Amino acid sequence: EQAVLETVPPAPAEESNSTDNAKAPKVNCEERNITGIDRFTLQILNVSQDLMEFLNPNSSDCTLVLFYTPWCRFSASLAPHFNSLPRAFPTLRFLALDASQHSSLSTRFGTVAVPNILLFQGAKPMARFNHTDRTLETLKDFIFNQTGIEAKSGVAVTEEDWEGPLPSVLTKGIDWLLLFSLLFLASFVLYATVRTESIRWLIPGQEHEHQE
């Protein structure tokens, strides 16, 4: 949406303030203390770990969370780029979880489609990555536009990023989300068919037409 500008031109001081406000970050993230941390890497939650235990609702620090499935080819192609992000933004936290193992979270945050990336401040989702081009550069631009935090220079996708911790190789498995969707659709069609037949038999005159 385009903003409606006033016809009266602002004073030079107001122009400067307007420019500063336009460049202000949308999410004011509290950068974590990285003293003593030698290796910056992505943390993957297992099936028994709850995302909300890793998000502090009383803080203003930011966490980028990836919802993925190991048999999704788009998740696999994104993996090496997401694996390199902790080195580019050491003051932020990065988490990933298998959406098929955390279906309640997928429903809660509307992340049924994968891969899905959410930026959290504390325990509150603040922004969603919506670009179809999922590369290190577009991810860095997204983080910078939302938080104002610049990525460290010289960070690139390496061979280690292709190996993990987030897998870049597809694994065979059942897409439970798709299966549940198909079962729900089939159940709805069956229910609608049965209801239609029941109503048709209750309408006067329909039974005689059926006998003829």
Side-chain angles (χ1 to χ4, degrees), residues 20 22 35 41 46 65 83 92 97 101 105 127 133 163 168 203:
D20 293 339
T35 304
T41 184
N46 58 41
V65 181
N83 286 333
L92 301 179
L97 56 89
Q101 297 178 351
L105 291 176
D133 185 18
E163 297 176 357
S168 59
I203 299 177

Side-chain angles (χ1 to χ4, degrees), residues 133-153:
D133 185 18
R134 306 178 185 93
T135 63
L136 176 59
E137 294 303 320
T138 57
L139 289 169
K140 289 194 297 185
D141 291 341
F142 168 74
I143 295 176
F144 175 74
N145 292 334
Q146 296 295 329
T147 67
I149 301 176
E150 294 186 1
K152 293 184 63 176
S153 60

Side-chain angles (χ1 to χ4, degrees), residues 3-52:
V4 179
L5 301 179
E6 295 181 357
T7 56
V8 180
E14 293 179 352
E15 287 184 358
S16 177
N17 294 336
S18 177
T19 304
D20 293 339
N21 293 334
K23 294 182 179 180
K26 301 176 182 178
V27 183
N28 293 318
C29 297
E30 178 183 349
E31 301 184 35
R32 65 171 180 166
N33 185 6
I34 60 176
T35 304
I37 303 178
D38 298 327
R39 182 177 176 81
F40 302 96
T41 184
L42 166 71
Q43 182 176 0
I44 300 180
L45 277 61
N46 58 41
V47 65
S48 62
Q49 292 176 313
D50 185 7
L51 172 64
M52 308 315 294

Side-chain angles (χ1 to χ4, degrees), residues 43-57 63 65 67 93 95-98 101-106 108-109 120 122-123:
Q43 182 176 0
I44 300 180
L45 277 61
N46 58 41
V47 65
S48 62
Q49 292 176 313
D50 185 7
L51 172 64
M52 308 315 294
E53 296 179 358
F54 292 83
L55 303 176
N56 184 1
T63 306
V65 181
F67 295 77
R93 294 195 306 162
L95 301 175
L97 56 89
D98 188 342
Q101 297 178 351
H102 300 80
S103 56
S104 60
L105 291 176
S106 299
R108 177 176 180 179
F109 298 116
F120 284 81

